[in-house]
Amino acid sequence: MGAGLPYWLPDGAVVRHALEEYVRDAERAAGYRHVYSPVLGKRELYEISGHWDHYSDDMFPPMRLGSEEVVLRPSLCPHHALIYRSRPHSHRELPLRIAELGGMYRSEPSGVLGGLTRVRSIHLNDAHIFCTLDQAVEEARAALALIARAYADLGIRAARHRLSLPGEGGKYVADPELWRRATGLLREVLDGAGVEYEEAEGEAAFYGPKIDVQVVDRAGREATLSTVQIDFHQPERFDLHYIGPDGARHRPVMVHRSVIGSVERAVAHLMEEHGGAFPPWLAPVQLVVLPVSEEQEDHAREAVERALRLGLRAELRGPAEGSLGARIRAARLVPYQAVIGAREAGDGLAAVRLRDGRRPAALPVDDLLRRVAARVAARGAGLWDAA
């Protein structure tokens, strides 16, 4: 299989897919346009971006293709710079927000690999905003707000915000003015958002400072989940411009932003945070239908089919799988259980059991399904709304 190369089994793939769709929907609503780019690039691309000089120890070795060398990308930003550079841009188009949920690869030492939190095959929720200098602070602040909304919907919280600054050594781009300008703008972002933060030297990206949103799992382990960066380096390296109102060429600012970071780390943190009891919209199985006896299996099967037509992830768990009590316990992480006995089947009802132990009044099956579907569509962390 290979260390740090995770395989997604069906339930994990469902959670990942739901998370990806949530992020794409949130980004579309915020004015982002989605792109695709390849996981391979010529070595020259990463020489231009600066990754080869400052980050090659974390990259896989080049592969020879004829007269060229190609590399598994360690980052999406050079590819998005090329997408921006593929045609001319006017100041009227800015800010231009480009997003991608794309794969990348980092040659992490085996000693630092751990579960889904640190892997070599990474799927990053990444975006780059190309904007004027006057727009950069507001765009970065809007990215922070998007992160906060996502955390609320995911039922997780930020432990702290960190302004990550350069440290000693040759890891960082040698341009003091670049660092001063970008750091000043990020401080303005954080202060304007009313966010308390700490400064940490040696945690910056090689090309610029960044805001890191830190999370802590139940074991007390801290990790960076989301980031916001303001970058003057790569627009210069890739010779990016836009035509200003004066008809002259101007250099854009590049705001890097990741709402949930890597999908792998996000899912790992969600599993830890919720103990497998995901919010309804993320749960691998959202509704389980439990007939008390074989006589109610046809009614239960029909309820499952109706749930599936509404887009819910529903399963039938009949008497062949054990006693009713055993099946209820086995489905303890499923947000909604619908029990159908003889009385419920005769009246077209389902007895409702919520994962948190509550038992609302029995409902007509269609009413129950509509309520569950509405709760799932709202993508919130709660299980049940008042009627």
Side-chain angles (χ1 to χ4, degrees):
M1 182 184 290
L5 305 174
Y7 284 57
W8 294 83
L9 303 181
D11 282 354
V14 167
V15 175
R16 172 177 163 174
H17 182 79
L19 187 59
E20 291 175 351
E21 285 302 301
Y22 167 82
V23 170
R24 288 192 182 101
D25 287 349
E27 287 171 338
R28 278 192 291 266
Y32 288 83
R33 303 185 70 184
H34 290 95
V35 298
Y36 290 102
S37 58
V39 297
L40 286 173
K42 289 170 62 176
R43 172 175 162 173
E44 178 188 1
L45 175 61
Y46 307 105
E47 290 173 342
I48 293 171
S49 70
H51 284 83
W52 193 254
D53 287 339
H54 298 279
Y55 202 75
S56 58
D57 287 346
D58 295 297
M59 297 172 63
F60 283 95
M63 295 172 278
R64 176 67 65 176
L65 284 180
S67 62
E68 296 179 344
E69 287 185 327
V70 296
V71 182
L72 284 167
R73 67 178 175 194
S75 173
L76 278 69
C77 37
H79 297 247
H80 288 187
L82 289 187
I83 289 173
Y84 178 87
R85 203 176 72 176
S86 65
R87 65 175 179 83
H89 297 278
S90 163
H91 66 95
R92 296 183 182 87
E93 296 178 67
L94 306 185
L96 179 62
R97 307 180 186 99
I98 294 175
E100 180 176 3
L101 213 157
M104 63 186 196
Y105 295 83
R106 293 183 178 174
S107 181
E108 300 279 13
S110 59
V112 303
L113 298 175
L116 286 176
T117 60
R118 194 77 175 262
V119 296
R120 290 171 173 156
S121 172
I122 304 164
H123 294 84
L124 188 67
N125 158 234
D126 207 7
H128 298 92
I129 304 162
F130 301 89
C131 61
T132 68
L133 180 60
D134 290 342
Q135 295 167 335
V137 168
E138 184 53 39
E139 288 298 314
R141 194 174 295 151
L144 268 185
L146 192 59
I147 291 167
R149 288 197 299 275
Y151 281 28
D153 289 342
L154 292 168
I156 60 178
R157 65 181 186 84
R160 65 189 180 100
H161 290 74
R162 184 178 74 191
L163 178 58
S164 295
L165 303 173
E168 300 296 326
K171 174 183 174 183
Y172 303 99
V173 170
D175 189 334
E177 177 60 16
L178 174 156
W179 290 98
R180 185 193 66 78
R181 292 174 71 201
T183 301
L185 290 174
L186 288 180
R187 286 199 178 103
E188 187 178 342
V189 170
L190 288 162
D191 292 339
V195 174
E196 293 185 6
Y197 62 95
E198 304 166 11
E199 296 186 3
E201 293 187 358
E203 297 293 341
F206 73 84
Y207 50 81
K210 58 193 174 89
I211 297 169
D212 288 325
V213 184
Q214 303 295 105
V215 294
V216 176
D217 67 17
R218 293 186 177 191
R221 295 169 296 205
E222 183 174 318
T224 301
L225 193 58
S226 312
T227 59
V228 180
Q229 306 165 49
I230 291 180
D231 179 10
F232 295 103
H233 173 71
Q234 290 193 66
E236 181 77 27
R237 297 280 294 192
F238 283 96
D239 193 25
L240 305 182
H241 359 28
Y242 66 90
I243 304 302
D246 57 358
R249 302 201 318 175
H250 299 267
R251 187 81 68 204
V253 177
M254 194 171 173
V255 177
H256 305 237
R257 175 254 68 185
S258 182
V259 173
I260 59 165
S262 79
V263 174
E264 290 78 11
R265 181 172 290 177
V267 171
H269 186 70
L270 285 164
M271 286 192 292
E272 290 283 348
E273 183 71 19
H274 297 296
F278 294 104
W281 63 275
L282 270 177
V285 178
Q286 295 162 329
L287 170 69
V288 62
V289 183
L290 305 164
V292 173
S293 68
E294 292 181 359
E295 284 72 23
Q296 292 89 47
E297 283 204 55
D298 286 344
H299 293 86
R301 188 170 292 105
E302 182 183 350
V304 169
E305 291 171 356
R306 284 146 74 182
L308 294 173
R309 288 196 292 270
L310 286 174
L312 295 173
R313 297 188 287 274
E315 291 184 359
L316 170 67
R317 299 189 186 175
E321 298 183 38
S323 69
L324 179 62
R327 285 178 281 145
I328 287 172
R329 289 190 296 274
R332 64 190 178 280
L333 297 180
V334 177
Y336 307 102
Q337 298 180 7
V339 179
I340 300 179
R343 183 178 65 83
E344 287 83 13
D347 295 338
L349 302 173
V352 185
R353 302 175 67 102
L354 305 184
R355 181 174 57 202
D356 59 11
R358 285 180 289 165
R359 297 190 189 183
L363 289 172
V365 170
D366 284 343
D367 289 353
L368 170 62
L369 297 183
R370 279 194 292 268
R371 288 191 66 163
V372 171
R375 189 88 286 280
V376 167
R379 284 172 164 164
L383 283 177
W384 199 251
D385 293 329

